Amino acid sequence: MAKKRKKNSGSGSSAVQRRAQIQAQAQLQSRSQQSTSGANAGGVQGGNASPRASGTTGAPTRSVSTSTARSSTRTESTSRPSSSARQPQRRYTRQRISGRTRWLIVAGALVVVLAIIGGFIFLSQQHSSPGARGGTDPEVLNTITRLDANLLAQIGTGGQKNPLQAVTNRDRLVGPHGKPEVFYWGAEFCPYCAAERWSLVVALSRFGHFSALPETTSSSSDVYPDTATFTFYGSSYTSSYIDFVPLEVEDRNQQPLQTPNQDQQQLVNALNPSGGFPFLDIANIYMSQGQTVDPGLLSGLSQKDIAIQMTNSSTSISKSILGVANYLTAGICVATNDQPASVCKASFIQTIEKQLPRLALARSDSVAVNLTSLSEGLPPTSSSRPRSGSRSI
């Protein structure tokens, strides 16, 4: 009996031990689970936190590997900008490209503007340089072709010598439209022509209208160099009373410019045998040869300067140019039988007409003109080389 109790007590002791082992294992598993969940939580929050509980090696390894993977993911996400981060960069790139394009457009526009300005400056220098043939300033042309009649009346002859001389034994000179012809023979290089054109333009403008009248200057190598003037080469003039026939025989460099026809050459040979410049024939009634206006008065002045001084009756330029212009006007009035009356019947023009020689006009094609009396005391012609009436032009 005693032995049996011992056996039974031994079995009870072993049962107790087993129960204790089971509880210990349960506690151990519980601690292991707690340490695993703690490690997982630490991996999410702290990244590299190490497990606090000891247990099986598998759980901590998974925690470390998970933390490392998440860390590498963060590194990749940091090295590669997100789509939201790339958008500002693209926007900045577009802005930089559009800004560069805008500057290129502005620079191109500036180049075009500068080129246009440079072209205008070049053209203006070409027109304003001595001898350049270009359009006369409209303000200048308007001033000298529309002078106040009161100013012209106030000037009268301006104290100038009568430049007109009578032509004898010649048929009346009629122009291409059947009206009295005013024939001009000159050259662009000639300084005396340059001065006379001012008076001639004023006189002609009282009988018609210049729609084109180029500007130029006389030669820079002749006396009174670069005298500001006009050229009748390329001019356009219309009138109901006269036919104006100008010839600019040579240009500013004394090169041939316009060639006279046979009738014009015969006229020059008969009335201006030296071929000198300038020469003016008013319908074979009056003529003038050589200087009529002193070019020295115009030295160093521009067209505009001369035009301004012409409007001031107290200046020498006004008295000289307008005084000669009134003489020419009176001579043309004789050729037109005092038409238009608004010009020719003015008292000061009638007074000048009475000072002009009135010679009977002979009609004879075979009688040569006696130039002996006309050639005495003539004013000087251009300083260029002498011209022969038989010279080929």
Side-chain angles (χ1 to χ4, degrees), residues 134-316:
T136 295
D137 184 344
E139 182 180 355
V140 172
L141 189 59
N142 184 68
T143 298
I144 67 171
T145 58
R146 298 184 181 182
L147 288 170
D148 187 357
N150 292 327
L151 173 64
L152 293 168
Q154 184 179 358
I155 293 294
T157 63
Q160 306 302 303
K161 181 181 177 181
N162 176 18
L164 298 177
Q165 302 189 33
V167 176
T168 61
N169 299 324
R170 299 290 298 183
D171 285 333
R172 185 73 64 96
L173 184 62
V174 179
H177 298 99
K179 292 172 283 195
E181 179 177 323
V182 177
F183 174 73
Y184 170 83
W185 170 272
E188 291 183 341
F189 76 88
C190 163
Y192 303 107
C193 305
E196 182 177 88
R197 289 191 199 99
W198 288 91
S199 296
L200 185 55
V201 168
V202 172
L204 291 172
S205 296
R206 309 202 71 194
F207 298 88
H209 172 68
F210 279 100
S211 59
L213 185 62
E215 68 169 339
T216 190
T217 62
S218 65
S219 171
S220 58
S221 59
D222 207 332
V223 293
Y224 309 108
D226 301 322
T227 301
T229 187
F230 315 93
T231 176
F232 293 128
Y233 178 73
S235 67
S236 179
Y237 175 81
T238 56
S239 171
S240 300
Y241 307 99
I242 60 174
D243 285 336
F244 178 50
V245 180
L247 277 182
E248 300 285 8
V249 181
E250 297 182 12
D251 64 14
R252 187 172 179 269
N253 298 314
Q254 300 188 24
Q255 297 301 312
L257 186 59
Q258 291 182 292
T259 303
N261 60 33
Q262 183 177 358
D263 291 337
Q264 292 166 345
Q265 187 65 65
Q266 288 178 354
L267 176 65
V268 171
N269 292 344
L271 299 180
N272 184 35
S274 68
F277 305 129
F279 167 71
L280 183 69
D281 184 337
I282 300 176
N284 274 351
I285 302 174
Y286 298 109
M287 73 175 196
S288 69
Q289 289 176 294
Q291 175 182 318
T292 57
V293 176
D294 181 8
L297 296 173
L298 313 182
S299 294
L301 299 179
S302 67
Q303 268 196 339
K304 193 169 186 178
D305 294 333
I306 297 170
I308 291 173
Q309 292 204 35
M310 284 172 58
T311 61
N312 184 350
S313 61
S314 64
T315 65
S316 298

Side-chain angles (χ1 to χ4, degrees), residues 40-68:
N40 291 336
V44 173
Q45 297 177 359
N48 293 331
S50 59
R52 290 181 300 171
S54 62
T56 60
T57 60
T61 303
R62 283 195 301 272
S63 176
V64 171
S65 63
T66 302
S67 177
T68 303

